[in-house]
Amino acid sequence: MTGQWQEQVSLKPYNTFGIDVKARYFSQARNDLHVRQALSQAQRLALPVLVIGGGSNLLLTRDIDALVLHMASQGRRVLSDDGEHVVVEAEAGEPWHPFVQWTLAQGFCGLENLSLIPGTVGAAPMQNVGAYGVEIKDVFVGLTALDRETGELRDFALADCAFGYRDSVFKRNPGRWLILRVRFALSRTLHAHLDYGPVRQRLAEQGVTEPTAQAISDAICSIRREKLPDPAELGNAGSFFKNPVVSAECVARIRAQYPGVVAYPQADGQVKLAAGWLIEQAGWKGYREGDAGVHRLQSLVLVNHGQASGAQMHALARRIQADILERFGVELEMEPNLY
Ligand code: FAD
Ligand code: NAP
């Protein structure tokens, strides 16, 4: 089926929300040639193309009148190794977590805090994936992308990607760049990031006094498994809203009414609010409207209890946004990509 096109394909197995919409055409790309063939065929037919990886950051609100190109390219390799520093490269379709585990098994440190994030290597730069105090920009060396406007290959270095909080040049120019492979700088010496959330405490509970990168990864996996719904059991796309970054005055105003507000000062003087805390305070935790709901343990995660449509999920999200704006004067921005 690779390289071939199928018609009217349900995308339910291809998005972690489990939303049942159809793609007019669907194809898988296992290599650069498949990508190029699919794009030129779509151009001949004047068809838009939606590139997807693991579908873990998508909210599909309608049938997709396009070619949906599923990145399934595989391959990972060590490009350089001086005994301490290594550069590894992986193809866009490589599933992210197994890739992280492969780097750890080689003795390479750097990606351990990003364990158990769903999705693919190729989508990770899209929103500069981050967790537990590390973002891919911290270990990113470069990537190769196809410019869909010109058909040319381009290598991006770190400075070209404009990585920000859940943001990048790729996210800001949707559909322009098709990421083919990504490179990371890792090291054999661990520079541990343990001060975020309950990581240090979990390691202590596990009796780990001198953590290895693998031990940190294992601790983070165990925290995530406890706290986050497994999309195989309950449809979701992880955090549904970004944590809003607001002025110190805004936080002071909220704190006057809610002394327990969860807020993290940023280097530029602004303050990051925990969106999940705002949503929980507003009483949405565990809320359910038909099959569209808010997770019972983590208010930042919207869930599909079974048959919710993308439009229903989106309607719930909009109601939450409006409520948070009214109560706290804070705008919540959606994190998943809406189609
Ligand atoms: P998709 O959802 O398939 O696509 C996302 C976007 O990228 C779409 O716009 C798509 O068009 C585009 N895209 C995909 N592949 C390519 C490509 N090769 N070239 C160009 N564009 C492409 N995110 C975090 O940052 N941190 C977390 O800790 C985290 N935890 C999560 C936990 C759960 C349970 C879930 C369900 C999601 C979580 N996410 C997290 C969100 C998501 O997993 C990541 O953003 C992930 O990188 C998305 O990868 P994907 O392959 O599934 O992308
Ligand atoms: P958490 O530990 O309960 O923390 C709640 C929020 O507070 C997080 O969103 C986090 O922001 C922020 N935070 C916690 N400690 C912080 C610190 N020391 N400094 C600055 N900010 C801090 O969060 P969680 O939901 O269990 O998630 C744990 C990690 O996994 C977080 O980094 C989160 O972003 C990531 N995650 C992301 C997704 C996604 O879909 N994007 C899904 C699940 C988990 P940040 O989000 O900015 O880190």
Side-chain angles (χ1 to χ4, degrees):
M1 199 202 54
T2 307
Q4 293 171 356
W5 291 25
Q6 293 175 289
E7 266 184 84
Q8 297 299 330
V9 171
S10 168
L11 293 176
K12 190 168 176 165
Y14 296 101
N15 73 101
T16 59
F17 255 128
I19 305 288
D20 195 7
V21 296
K22 284 197 170 58
R24 183 165 161 202
Y25 296 103
F26 180 87
S27 184
Q28 289 194 327
R30 291 207 187 273
N31 54 43
D32 293 10
L33 183 63
H34 289 153
V35 169
R36 283 190 179 279
Q37 285 171 339
L39 293 184
S40 36
Q41 171 82 343
Q43 195 174 29
R44 275 197 296 279
L45 299 171
L47 258 185
V49 178
L50 171 59
V51 177
I52 63 166
S56 62
N57 213 14
L58 303 178
L59 179 58
L60 303 172
T61 57
R62 59 175 80 97
D63 288 340
I64 306 294
D65 189 16
L67 167 67
V68 172
L69 185 62
H70 179 229
M71 293 303 292
S73 48
Q74 305 276 297
R76 49 204 184 190
R77 56 199 74 90
V78 178
L79 293 184
S80 66
D81 184 349
D82 70 3
E84 168 57 17
H85 304 99
V86 296
V87 174
V88 297
E89 180 180 70
E91 298 298 312
E94 280 283 342
W96 177 259
H97 179 66
F99 166 64
V100 171
Q101 292 304 309
W102 173 78
T103 63
L104 295 174
Q106 312 304 305
F108 304 155
C109 310
L111 291 173
E112 54 280 355
N113 287 44
L114 302 175
S115 297
L116 215 59
I117 298 178
T120 54
V121 167
M126 286 296 292
Q127 70 161 19
N128 177 29
V129 290
Y132 298 96
V134 174
E135 297 175 328
I136 67 153
K137 73 168 174 46
D138 301 327
V139 287
F140 178 91
V141 183
L143 63 77
T144 303
L146 184 68
D147 183 344
R148 288 174 53 184
E149 283 179 10
T150 64
E152 284 170 12
L153 289 183
R154 176 170 163 192
D155 280 344
F156 285 76
L158 178 62
D160 303 324
C161 298
F163 285 130
Y165 167 60
R166 307 283 187 267
D167 197 22
S168 72
V169 70
F170 313 106
K171 182 141 185 175
R172 279 185 231 152
N173 295 276
R176 168 88 192 261
W177 304 101
L178 195 159
I179 297 168
L180 294 170
R181 53 194 66 88
V182 188
R183 294 173 283 282
F184 302 92
L186 306 176
S187 62
R188 285 199 166 78
T189 305
L190 173 64
H191 304 284
H193 298 270
L194 304 177
D195 293 327
Y196 208 88
V199 181
R200 193 184 290 279
Q201 189 191 331
R202 178 56 54 96
L203 285 162
E205 283 163 11
Q206 293 173 340
V208 180
T209 47
E210 288 186 21
T212 60
Q214 187 65 60
I216 295 171
S217 167
D218 293 347
I220 285 175
C221 288
S222 76
I223 297 167
R224 292 182 70 109
R225 285 198 181 98
E226 271 171 23
K227 207 167 170 185
L228 290 167
D230 177 354
E233 289 160 16
L234 186 59
N236 75 92
S239 303
F240 197 88
F241 301 103
K242 292 187 191 180
N243 288 322
V245 179
V246 300
S247 67
E249 294 72 41
C250 175
V251 181
R253 184 176 43 73
I254 297 172
R255 186 165 283 132
Q257 207 185 342
Y258 300 89
V261 61
V262 179
Y264 298 96
Q266 304 294 288
D268 62 1
Q270 292 197 294
V271 182
K272 186 178 75 180
L273 295 174
W277 185 89
L278 297 172
I279 297 167
E280 186 172 340
Q281 288 302 305
W284 290 97
K285 195 174 191 174
Y287 177 84
R288 185 167 174 173
E289 203 171 78
D291 273 352
V294 179
H295 191 242
R296 64 185 176 83
L297 297 177
Q298 169 50 292
S299 306
L300 199 47
V301 177
L302 299 196
V303 293
N304 175 7
H305 288 282
Q307 306 301 321
S309 67
Q312 286 166 330
M313 297 303 313
H314 194 206
L316 173 60
R318 279 193 305 236
R319 284 187 57 201
I320 294 172
Q321 283 173 316
D323 188 34
I324 299 305
L325 184 60
E326 195 183 313
R327 278 175 202 261
F328 301 102
V330 172
E331 280 189 47
L332 291 184
E333 192 187 331
M334 263 180 63
E335 188 178 295
N337 301 274
L338 186 73
Y339 295 101

